[in-house]
Amino acid sequence: MAVSHRLFRLFSPFTPAKNNLSSFLIRSLSSSSPHGPSLDPEIDLKEAAAELEKSSSPSSSPSWTKGRNFHWVFLGCPGVGKGTYASRLSTLLGVPHIATGDLVREELSSSGLLSSQLKELVNHGKLVPDEFIISLLSKRLEAGKEKGESGYILDGFPRTVTQAEILEGVINVDLVINLKLKEEALLAKCLGRRICSECGANYNVACIDIKGGDGDDRMYMPPLLPPPKCESKLITRADDTEEVVKERLRVYNKMTQPVEEFYRKRGKLLEFELPGGIPQSWPKLLRALHLEDDKQSAIA
Ligand SMILES: Nc1ncnc2c1ncn2[C@@H]1O[C@H](COP(=O)(O)OP(=O)(O)O)[C@@H](O)[C@H]1O
């Protein structure tokens, strides 16, 4: 039996508590999932959306720069820099950066059968089942809501049209930033990625220099090297090998690219082509978002 089916069987008995975010996300999933039995066929997405509207903070501000109830999503291929820019915006806007990849990796660090089955998927560049990711994200959003979080920047979710439909049914996403980068740079950026095993900070040892030509500008991305305190603690993600990155790029094109179209049709997609490294891209991204960062020269 395929790993994803075995995992679905592990998750399908999940019975969420009533009247909370997890409950609505999971019940929405069960009524829309094309590949699994329904947990509660009487609940539909509209009902979930209406209930959530009552229970969550208001999010209908027409301007994405108003207030702190940002519900933003980052899309983009592996290695494009979603984590880097989502985390900078999260600091600037004072809303949490929620990366489903981080939630998955935390889960993988626990032992047990489920964790080893998930590891098999992640380390082969496959997506984990929608049920699992919805369950993880729901728990994270619930915990945030209890702490008074009233907005967030999602990174790595949604990654399938099913996930996007579910999210759209329960939350009013204001803006989807679709980061783009020359394909030649993506693989090099994933292979150069390093993480500090102690503080979790991300670095990149790749020095990318793509010659211009045919109307294209030269693209230079200097390495993002660690400070001395992290230098000896750097690790590489198990899924950042050449073979697995190529598979992740293939999976992105097949499963996640349709999500771009999903948001384009709804007028929520902001396409942003990264012109180079952080010093060039960050100010340009801020301008595209009509944001200002007083400290930008210090942190670029
Ligand atoms: N929304 C999601 N749906 C399914 N799987 C996910 C999702 N988010 C993260 N994952 C799993 O976690 C892995 C790592 O995610 P992430 O850190 O976002 O990687 P990337 O650098 O490829 O964008 C993915 O390859 C996938 O296995």
Side-chain angles (χ1 to χ4, degrees):
M1 198 187 316
V3 175
S4 57
H5 282 107
R6 275 185 271 141
L7 285 167
F8 182 81
R9 285 163 68 103
L10 279 169
F11 276 96
S12 47
F14 182 86
T15 319
K18 285 204 166 183
N19 295 324
N20 63 27
L21 183 56
S22 321
S23 145
F24 290 119
L25 279 173
I26 293 195
R27 286 191 292 166
S28 300
L29 174 71
S30 66
S31 58
S32 68
S33 174
H35 57 79
S38 176
L39 295 177
D40 185 349
E42 284 161 30
I43 304 297
D44 67 13
L45 285 173
K46 277 202 187 112
E47 185 197 343
E51 288 291 339
L52 199 85
E53 200 66 17
K54 278 192 249 152
S55 65
S56 73
S57 50
S59 60
S60 55
S61 168
S63 161
W64 66 51
T65 58
K66 230 188 265 172
R68 291 170 80 95
N69 298 317
F70 299 89
H71 293 108
W72 288 8
V73 163
F74 263 89
L75 287 182
C77 287
V80 75
K82 299 185 292 295
T84 303
Y85 294 100
S87 121
R88 282 174 166 248
L89 283 172
S90 125
T91 307
L92 182 69
L93 302 174
V95 290
H97 163 211
I98 303 178
T100 47
D102 290 344
L103 300 180
V104 168
R105 280 182 288 277
E106 263 169 47
E107 198 66 23
L108 294 189
S109 59
S110 63
S111 55
L113 176 66
L114 179 61
S115 158
S116 65
Q117 289 177 336
L118 287 172
K119 224 173 259 173
E120 207 179 313
L121 289 174
V122 176
N123 291 351
H124 285 90
K126 312 284 184 208
L127 295 183
V128 304
D130 289 340
E131 293 73 14
F132 174 75
I133 208 78
I134 297 271
S135 162
L136 275 187
L137 180 62
S138 302
K139 274 192 241 157
R140 170 62 188 84
L141 294 181
E142 276 295 315
K145 210 174 132 202
E146 274 164 29
K147 285 192 283 175
E149 288 175 2
S150 58
Y152 33 80
I153 298 177
L154 293 180
D155 155 10
F157 187 96
R159 252 182 162 99
T160 62
V161 171
T162 301
Q163 293 177 11
E165 281 166 350
I166 288 166
L167 191 65
E168 200 67 5
V170 292
I171 280 154
N172 183 14
V173 171
D174 324 283
L175 177 68
V176 179
I177 303 166
N178 188 25
L179 293 185
K180 303 215 154 189
L181 186 63
K182 284 186 178 31
E183 210 170 316
E184 310 119 90
L186 292 171
L187 181 63
K189 278 201 66 205
C190 284
L191 299 183
R193 183 152 55 188
R194 300 289 181 275
I195 300 160
C196 173
S197 55
E198 198 168 276
C199 70
N202 277 279
Y203 303 103
N204 208 302
V205 297
C207 180
I208 295 164
D209 191 356
I210 299 172
K211 307 270 171 291
D214 284 342
D216 275 356
D217 294 333
R218 171 190 176 208
M219 196 176 68
Y220 179 66
M221 302 178 92
L224 181 60
L225 297 173
K229 71 177 173 65
C230 299
E231 252 168 19
S232 61
K233 297 162 197 139
L234 296 187
I235 50 167
T236 305
R237 269 169 50 174
D239 58 346
D240 275 343
T241 62
E242 183 164 347
E243 190 191 347
V244 177
V245 171
K246 284 185 176 159
E247 175 62 8
R248 280 159 54 208
L249 288 168
R250 193 194 66 75
V251 168
Y252 184 90
N253 290 334
K254 183 166 171 227
M255 307 296 287
T256 314
Q257 227 165 35
V259 177
E260 297 177 7
E261 190 50 33
F262 177 92
Y263 286 119
R264 192 174 291 116
K265 275 200 222 136
R266 285 161 179 77
K268 296 185 175 185
L269 197 72
L270 175 81
E271 306 270 14
F272 186 80
E273 178 88 34
L274 290 157
I278 297 172
Q280 277 172 285
S281 302
W282 177 237
K284 200 174 165 203
L285 178 63
L286 291 178
R287 277 198 299 280
L289 294 168
H290 304 281
L291 293 172
E292 277 178 28
D293 180 2
D294 296 340
K295 292 180 241 136
Q296 70 167 273
S297 50
I299 57 176

